[in-house]
Amino acid sequence: MFTEDQLLPISALQHLIFCPRQCALIHLEQVWADNQFTAEGNRLHERTHEGPDESRPGVRITRGMAVRSFALGLSGQCDVVEFHPGSARASRAGDGASRSPPEVLPVEYKRGKPKAHAADEVQLCAQALCLEEMLGVQIERGMLYYGKRRRRTNVAFDAALRELTRDTAQRLHTLIDSRQTPTAQREKKCESCSLLEICLPDALRFKRSITSWFAGQLRDSCQATSES
């Protein structure tokens, strides 16, 4: 179990899955820069959190709910948590109606569209695991709302996603405890990263190339000397 001062941001899970170096730059070196994508995402989250909590027929909606898990060592905010009362259903024993358990439904808002990796699903699952620990409930699913598609995507919190989420949380703590920022690896996804001009993966790649060139020259020189 983790203590209060060991809790790390749930959002860091997404950074870690996208790029361990980006995660370390943000959460170890405290570096940040916005681009169009992050600015649009921030505005979407602000609009989501600005609205008041409300009750509608069959659902109570809470916005910006603070959550934490001492088992995972994580804390953060849920964009929206919906509380749906259990629905009435006939008893199999024939002794009257019963009600299904209430449903707690976390909803996370994203500006873009579904991604090739599971960062969004892991972030949402981490919120659900926090809610389960805090409320003593079982949460079977959540929702991701993507701004470009303008509709919700259902996410089932199955055993595989829960295991991936717990493993990612452990990897996050290992990275932060190491106090080391991984070296840059230039990839296609770097183009969409707001930290591109800070990370400078091309410069580091060039530096490695120069180092390799000098090593090659030294090796050739040593070989020529030994043969003479």
Side-chain angles (χ1 to χ4, degrees), residues 28-71:
L28 275 177
E29 302 190 22
Q30 304 296 305
V31 172
W32 180 251
D34 275 315
N35 62 10
Q36 175 187 348
F37 305 125
T38 60
E40 289 175 355
N42 289 337
R43 285 196 295 270
L44 177 61
H45 284 286
E46 288 171 1
R47 290 196 299 269
T48 303
H49 291 180
E50 282 175 358
D53 295 350
E54 57 182 306
S55 293
R56 301 175 184 173
V59 60
R60 180 165 60 87
I61 300 172
T62 300
R63 306 179 190 277
M65 181 176 178
V67 296
R68 54 96 185 105
S69 168
F70 292 114

Side-chain angles (χ1 to χ4, degrees):
M1 297 291 285
F2 294 89
T3 60
E4 190 78 39
D5 61 344
Q6 293 175 316
L7 300 183
L8 299 175
I10 292 175
S11 59
L13 300 176
Q14 187 173 65
H15 300 144
L16 178 61
I17 291 176
F18 178 76
C19 173
R21 179 172 170 81
Q22 183 204 62
C23 182
L25 286 172
I26 295 172
H27 300 284
L28 275 177
E29 302 190 22
Q30 304 296 305
V31 172
W32 180 251
D34 275 315
N35 62 10
Q36 175 187 348
F37 305 125
T38 60
E40 289 175 355
N42 289 337
R43 285 196 295 270
L44 177 61
H45 284 286
E46 288 171 1
R47 290 196 299 269
T48 303
H49 291 180
E50 282 175 358
D53 295 350
E54 57 182 306
S55 293
R56 301 175 184 173
V59 60
R60 180 165 60 87
I61 300 172
T62 300
R63 306 179 190 277
M65 181 176 178
V67 296
R68 54 96 185 105
S69 168
F70 292 114
L72 295 178
L74 298 173
S75 65
Q77 271 190 325
C78 297
D79 284 343
V80 169
V81 181
E82 296 180 357
F83 296 87
H84 298 261
S87 57
R89 60 187 178 187
S91 171
R92 293 182 179 179
D95 55 358
S98 61
R99 298 190 68 85
S100 61
E103 181 181 27
V104 180
L105 187 73
V107 184
E108 176 71 11
Y109 284 72
K110 299 294 182 182
R111 58 158 294 279
K113 57 185 179 180
K115 302 174 178 63
H117 51 71
D120 294 343
E121 289 80 1
V122 165
Q123 183 181 4
L124 183 64
C125 185
Q127 294 174 9
L129 293 174
C130 289
L131 288 166
E132 287 183 345
E133 184 177 318
M134 293 170 60
L135 303 178
V137 298
Q138 181 74 16
I139 302 176
E140 302 294 339
R141 67 189 183 108
M143 293 287 181
L144 288 168
Y145 177 89
Y146 289 99
K148 285 192 174 181
R149 300 176 66 178
R150 296 186 178 276
R151 65 174 183 269
R152 292 182 173 187
T153 298
N154 185 70
V155 177
F157 301 135
D158 57 20
L161 181 55
R162 289 170 180 265
E163 181 179 359
L164 176 60
T165 303
R166 293 189 179 98
D167 178 66
T168 305
Q170 183 57 56
R171 286 172 51 215
L172 174 63
H173 278 276
T174 300
L175 174 65
I176 298 303
D177 291 343
S178 76
R179 313 303 298 176
Q180 294 182 359
T181 299
T183 56
Q185 301 291 329
R186 178 68 184 197
E187 299 181 48
K188 183 178 180 180
K189 64 185 179 183
C190 295
E191 295 301 324
S192 64
C193 179
S194 66
L195 301 185
L196 178 60
E197 298 302 319
I198 298 171
C199 176
L200 298 174
D202 290 321
L204 290 176
R205 181 175 60 179
F206 178 74
K207 180 180 179 181
R208 287 195 297 271
S209 298
I210 292 297
T211 302
S212 299
W213 183 82
F214 274 117
Q217 293 294 307
L218 179 61
R219 184 172 57 252
D220 292 344
S221 176
C222 290
Q223 183 177 356
T225 300
S226 64
E227 291 176 350
S228 61

